[in-house]
C-alpha cells in the first residue's frame, strides 16, 4: 500500500503576495512524506489551474502571470496518488493586486482668502490601491506630517493665512505600495480677497452730502431764490 501522504506545503518562490499587473509568480508545492509518484494540482478559488506529476521528491513548480484582478485571491495545492481518489490540501496563499495611484487633485472650498483667515486644503487620488499616503507642500517645503488614508477619502490640512507669503503655490504628493509611483497634484494658489478700502465709506459720505446740498438748493429755489429775484426787480 502507498505510504500516507503528508499535507503539501505551498510556498511562493518567485514574486510577492502584493502583485502588480503582468507580474510573474512561481509556486512550489511538495509533500515531504509519502510514496511516489505524486500528482500535484494547483487550485485558485477551488478551480483547477494546473497539474504536474512528480516521480521524485522534487517540488512541483507552477508559474503564473497575474494579468487581471481575476488572477488574484486564494491559491491552494493538492497532493494525491494517481491511484487514489483522496488527496491532501496545502495551506493557502492570498494575492492582492496593487494598482498604481492616479494623479491626486488638490482643492479647497475657498480660493479667495484674506489675512487672518483659516483655510482648508484637501488632496485625493481617485484610483490606486489603499492605503494611500499624502504629503502637502508649499513650494518645495513640506508643510505637514504624512497622512495615511485607509479609505478612499481626501487627506486634509488646515492653514492660517497670516502674511502675503502664505499665498504661495501649494501642492500635494500621493503614493501607495506600488513601486516607484509617487505622483504630485496640480498647483493651487489662494488669491487675496479684496478688502473694502477705507476710502469707500468716505466717498459714500461725500456723495450723500453733495446730494443733500443739491436737494437743499432745489428746495430753496421756490422759497428763497425766486422771492429774492422778484424783490430785486
Amino acid at each position: 500500500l502507498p505510504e500516507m501522504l503528508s499535507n503539501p506545503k505551498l510556498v511562493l518562490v518567485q514574486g510577492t503576495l502584493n502583485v502588480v499587473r503582468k507580474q510573474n509568480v512561481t509556486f512550489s508545492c511538495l509533500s515531504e512524506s509519502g510514496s511516489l509518484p505524486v500528482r500535484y494540482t494547483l487550485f485558485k478559488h477551488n478551480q483547477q489551474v494546473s497539474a504536474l506529476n512528480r516521480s521524485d521528491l522534487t517540488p512541483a513548480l507552477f508559474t503564473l502571470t497575474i494579468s487581471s484582478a481575476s488572477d488574484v485571491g486564494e491559491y491552494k495545492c493538492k497532493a494525491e496518488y494517481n491511484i487514489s481518489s483522496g488527496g491532501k490540501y496545502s495551506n493557502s496563499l492570498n494575492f492582492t493586486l496593487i494598482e498604481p495611484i492616479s494623479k491626486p487633485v488638490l482643492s479647497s472650498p475657498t480660493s479667495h482668502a484674506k489675512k487672518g483667515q483659516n483655510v482648508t486644503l484637501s488632496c485625493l487620488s481617485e484610483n490606486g490601491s489603499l492605503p494611500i499616503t499624502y504629503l502637502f507642500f508649499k513650494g518645495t517645503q513640506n508643510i505637514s506630517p504624512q497622512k495615511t488614508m485607509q479609505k478612499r477619502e481626501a487627506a486634509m490640512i488646515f492653514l492660517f493665512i497670516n502674511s502675503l507669503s502664505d499665498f504661495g503655490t501649494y501642492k500635494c504628493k500621493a503614493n501607495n505600495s506600488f513601486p516607484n509611483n509617487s505622483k504630485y497634484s496640480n498647483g493651487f494658489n489662494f488669491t487675496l480677497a479684496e478688502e473694502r478700502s477705507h476710502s469707500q465709506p468716505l466717498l459714500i459720505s461725500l456723495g450723500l452730502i453733495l446730494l443733500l446740498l443739491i436737494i437743499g438748493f432745489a428746495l430753496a429755489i421756490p422759497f428763497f431764490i425766486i422771492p429774492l429775484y422778484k424783490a430785486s426787480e
Side-chain angles (χ1 to χ4, degrees), residues 126-166:
E126 289 282 357
N127 299 303
S129 307
L130 296 166
I132 297 175
T133 299
Y134 296 95
L135 268 174
F136 290 84
F137 296 86
K138 194 180 104 218
T140 56
Q141 188 182 356
N142 177 12
I143 55 167
S144 75
Q146 281 193 20
K147 291 181 182 287
T148 301
M149 308 304 287
Q150 304 292 339
K151 295 181 182 172
R152 187 81 53 197
E153 291 173 348
M156 297 174 78
I157 60 164
F158 302 94
L159 301 170
F160 180 65
I161 300 291
N162 196 30
S163 66
L164 281 173
S165 65
D166 295 326

Side-chain angles (χ1 to χ4, degrees), residues 57-69:
L57 285 171
T58 57
L61 295 175
F62 301 99
T63 298
L64 302 172
T65 302
I66 305 292
S67 54
S68 72

Side-chain angles (χ1 to χ4, degrees), residues 155-215:
M156 297 174 78
I157 60 164
F158 302 94
L159 301 170
F160 180 65
I161 300 291
N162 196 30
S163 66
L164 281 173
S165 65
D166 295 326
F167 289 92
T169 301
Y170 292 88
K171 281 191 175 184
C172 67
K173 180 174 84 167
N175 64 282
N176 63 359
S177 51
F178 194 94
N180 308 317
N181 185 51
S182 291
K183 289 201 173 150
Y184 283 89
S185 71
N186 52 301
F188 185 92
N189 289 72
F190 291 102
T191 52
L192 182 61
E194 287 296 324
E195 295 190 40
R196 292 180 64 152
S197 67
H198 299 299
S199 60
Q200 211 170 357
L202 186 65
L203 285 173
I204 292 169
S205 303
L206 285 172
L208 282 171
I209 291 164
L210 190 63
L211 190 64
L212 287 171
L213 283 172
I214 292 166
I215 292 168

Side-chain angles (χ1 to χ4, degrees), residues 28-95:
S28 152
C29 185
L30 178 66
S31 285
E32 290 180 342
S33 65
S35 303
L36 297 167
V38 181
R39 180 174 178 80
Y40 293 103
T41 309
L42 183 69
F43 290 89
K44 181 193 75 192
H45 299 307
N46 302 322
Q47 285 186 315
Q48 183 176 326
V49 177
S50 186
L52 290 168
N53 292 320
R54 279 285 174 265
S55 54
D56 55 19
L57 285 171
T58 57
L61 295 175
F62 301 99
T63 298
L64 302 172
T65 302
I66 305 292
S67 54
S68 72
S70 63
D71 295 327
V72 297
E74 186 183 58
Y75 284 82
K76 278 184 180 178
C77 77
K78 181 184 179 186
E80 61 193 330
Y81 297 124
N82 291 339
I83 53 170
S84 68
S85 58
K88 294 283 182 73
Y89 282 92
S90 72
N91 55 300
S92 62
L93 290 176
N94 262 300
F95 286 105

